[in-house]
Every structure is written in structure tokens, then in C-alpha cells.
């Protein structure tokens, strides 16, 4: 039986009186790529911040790796890439990565080299982050997140701000990370089509609530079944006319 990396039950969170998360219940299976999809303002970023430990829910249960009361050690296993990365813009990518690795107590040159290689930034590692293109910043955000050797990787809506071709390359990187390190990955986006090349699960979010969850295979089967039903209905109508 597949285990869940994340389980949320009736999560509630508000910000200065504005309700951001309204009784969210969801389950993210381990080692899957979970697409969290919904329009702007539906609460996706707020939910990712709760899952990462940046913010705490006012009500409800959030379990990480089976622990309904996650400790600092559990939250250390969660990496997150936000739209505004919080990088040291005047420093190089390599220097940023070294600083984070030292903070996590796992500084090794080979780990930094691997993070840069996996994200395709090895040739741009000595450039200042402020000179990076939007697509390079996404790659760098992923490198910064994985330098802490997480088990869960959360990606905010950063993929929505780059071109279709660039997004496809980033999704290839995420699929490699998922396969190589057995990472559970949650990617927030405004549209399902942005993540079809990688998502194995979907969660649909509306007005602070995850309204449905389903496997990617189910989303492929639905149009197929609908076409079959339409054909069958057409045949029945034809038979009625003949009668």
C-alpha cells in the first residue's frame, strides 16, 4: 500500500482577517508529482507555506511523513521554491548554495556541483544571481531547494512565468529529481496543461479549498469514456429513428 508524504485534514488559515485556506483536506502520495491547480488568489501559495512550515494553520491537522505533529526535523526535509526566491542577488549561484549548505550543516563541494549539474547551471554558477533570466532563476530556486537533501519539494507558481519550451525543460529536471532521489514533488500552477508532461496526481483548488483529487490516468480516461458514451448515445438515437 502506497504511503502518503503529506496528509491535511480540515486545515484553516487566515491572514489579517482574510481567509486564505478554508478547511483543506488532501493527501499527497509519496514519490509522486502532484499538480496543485487553481486560479489566482485561490490559496495555493498559502497552502504551500503551511506545508513547508513557513506558516502554521489555525485549525486542522497537517501530517508529514506520518507524523500529525511535525517537528523541526520533518520540516527540514521539505524544500520550497517560491515566486520571490529570497536569494542574495549580488552573490553568485555557487556562493548562495555554499551559504545554504553551511547553514544546513551538510556543506560538500560535490553536493553543490551536483545541484548545479542537475539544474543545468554548472556553466553559469559564477554569475551573480541578479543577472539570471526568469528561467535561470527557476532552475536556481530548485538547486537551492535540493541542496538541503529534502524528501518533499514544493514548487510555487514559478513555472507559469516562463515560456512553454522553458517549462518543458524544467519539468524534465523535476522528473529526473523525482526518479533519482524518489522525491515527492508538489507543483502549484494556474492551469493543468502546464504540468501534463510531468504530473502523476492532480489536486484542484478553488476559493481556499481542494475540491477534488485524482490520478493523471483518470484525467486521460475521462475524455476517452466521454467519447465512447457519445458514440453509444448516437447509436441509440439512430436505432430509435429506425424504429
Amino acid at each position: 500500500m502506497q504511503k502518503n508524504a503529506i496528509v491535511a485534514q480540515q486545515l484553516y488559515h487566515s491572514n489579517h482577517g482574510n481567509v486564505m485556506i478554508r478547511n483543506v483536506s488532501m493527501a499527497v502520495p509519496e514519490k509522486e508529482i502532484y499538480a496543485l491547480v487553481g486560479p489566482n488568489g485561490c490559496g495555493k501559495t498559502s497552502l504551500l507555506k503551511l506545508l513547508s512550515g513557513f506558516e502554521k494553520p489555525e485549525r486542522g491537522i497537517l501530517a508529514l511523513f506520518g507524523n500529525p505533529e511535525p517537528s523541526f526535523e520533518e520540516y527540514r526535509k521539505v524544500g520550497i521554491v517560491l515566486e520571490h526566491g529570497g536569494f542574495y542577488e549580488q552573490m553568485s549561484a555557487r556562493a548562495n548554495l555554499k551559504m545554504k549548505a553551511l547553514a544546513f550543516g551538510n556543506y560538500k563541494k560535490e553536493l553543490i556541483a551536483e545541484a548545479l549539474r542537475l539544474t543545468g547551471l554548472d556553466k553559469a554558477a559564477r554569475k551573480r544571481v541578479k543577472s539570471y533570466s526568469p528561467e535561470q532563476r527557476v532552475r536556481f530556486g530548485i538547486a537551492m531547494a535540493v541542496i538541503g537533501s529534502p524528501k518533499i519539494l514544493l514548487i510555487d507558481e514559478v513555472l507559469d512565468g516562463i515560456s512553454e519550451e522553458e517549462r518543458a525543460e524544467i519539468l524534465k529536471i523535476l522528473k529526473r529529481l523525482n526518479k533519482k532521489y524518489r522525491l515527492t514533488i508538489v507543483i502549484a500552477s494556474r492551469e493543468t496543461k502546464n504540468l501534463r508532461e510531468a504530473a502523476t496526481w492532480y489536486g484542484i483548488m478553488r476559493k481556499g479549498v481542494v475540491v477534488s483529487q485524482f490520478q493523471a490516468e483518470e484525467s486521460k480516461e475521462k475524455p476517452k469514456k466521454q467519447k465512447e458514451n457519445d458514440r453509444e448515445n448516437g447509436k441509440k438515437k439512430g436505432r430509435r429513428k429506425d424504429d
Side-chain angles (χ1 to χ4, degrees):
M1 184 177 178
Q2 190 172 26
K3 295 181 180 179
N4 291 317
I6 300 168
V7 175
Q9 295 178 349
Q10 301 296 304
L11 288 187
Y12 179 92
H13 180 66
S14 62
N15 186 13
H16 300 295
N18 297 317
V19 178
M20 312 301 291
I21 302 299
R22 191 187 308 272
N23 298 327
V24 162
S25 294
M26 65 186 296
V28 180
E30 282 186 346
K31 305 167 189 175
E32 301 284 350
I33 299 179
Y34 185 105
L36 181 65
V37 181
N40 280 339
C42 73
K44 299 187 299 297
T45 299
S46 294
L47 180 54
L48 292 190
K49 286 182 177 179
L50 292 180
L51 299 181
S52 67
F54 279 1
E55 296 180 3
K56 297 293 182 184
E58 294 166 48
R59 295 197 301 267
I61 296 172
L62 172 58
L64 297 179
F65 312 106
N67 187 351
E69 296 182 1
S71 66
F72 176 71
E73 287 306 311
E74 270 92 27
Y75 282 118
R76 270 179 65 99
K77 298 175 185 175
V78 181
I80 186 168
V81 181
L82 293 169
E83 194 169 4
H84 303 290
F87 313 133
Y88 289 97
E89 300 281 341
Q90 299 294 334
M91 292 168 56
S92 69
R94 190 182 297 278
N96 269 275
L97 288 167
K98 181 178 179 180
M99 184 175 291
K100 183 168 182 180
L102 287 168
F104 269 74
N106 65 340
Y107 171 65
K108 292 180 182 177
K109 287 184 178 180
E110 55 268 29
L111 286 178
I112 292 176
E114 178 74 350
L116 290 166
R117 186 187 66 78
L118 285 170
T119 53
L121 288 175
D122 36 350
K123 293 182 180 178
R126 297 188 182 281
K127 290 185 178 180
R128 292 184 180 184
V129 174
K130 70 173 185 178
S131 70
Y132 277 8
S133 68
E135 188 256 358
Q136 285 179 312
R137 293 177 74 86
V138 174
R139 290 173 181 262
F140 179 56
I142 295 170
M144 285 286 281
V146 300
I147 201 69
S149 302
K151 296 294 183 184
I152 297 173
L153 179 60
L154 309 175
I155 311 286
D156 201 11
E157 295 176 294
V158 292
L159 299 187
D160 293 344
I162 57 179
S163 71
E164 188 174 337
E165 293 76 14
E166 290 170 337
R167 189 184 307 119
E169 290 302 313
I170 299 295
L171 290 176
K172 287 179 184 177
I173 291 171
L174 293 175
K175 287 169 73 174
R176 284 198 294 269
L177 290 170
N178 168 255
K179 186 175 181 180
K180 181 169 183 175
Y181 297 111
R182 313 300 289 167
L183 266 179
T184 302
I185 302 176
V186 180
I187 312 173
S189 179
R190 291 188 290 272
E191 297 185 52
T192 56
K193 68 178 184 180
N194 290 348
L195 306 177
R196 281 178 189 156
E197 296 174 40
T200 58
W201 273 82
Y202 288 96
I204 307 302
M205 195 165 186
R206 297 283 185 273
K207 296 180 180 180
V209 180
V210 176
V211 296
S212 67
Q213 298 183 110
F214 50 89
Q215 285 185 287
E217 287 81 356
E218 293 178 42
S219 67
K220 293 173 185 174
E221 286 297 319
K222 285 177 183 177
K224 198 182 295 181
K225 287 180 180 178
Q226 186 62 51
K227 287 179 183 178
E228 289 173 359
N229 290 337
D230 290 345
R231 280 198 296 268
E232 186 61 30
N233 289 335
K235 288 178 183 177
K236 287 179 181 177
K237 287 179 182 177
R239 283 198 293 270
R240 288 195 194 104
K241 286 180 182 178
D242 291 340
D243 293 342

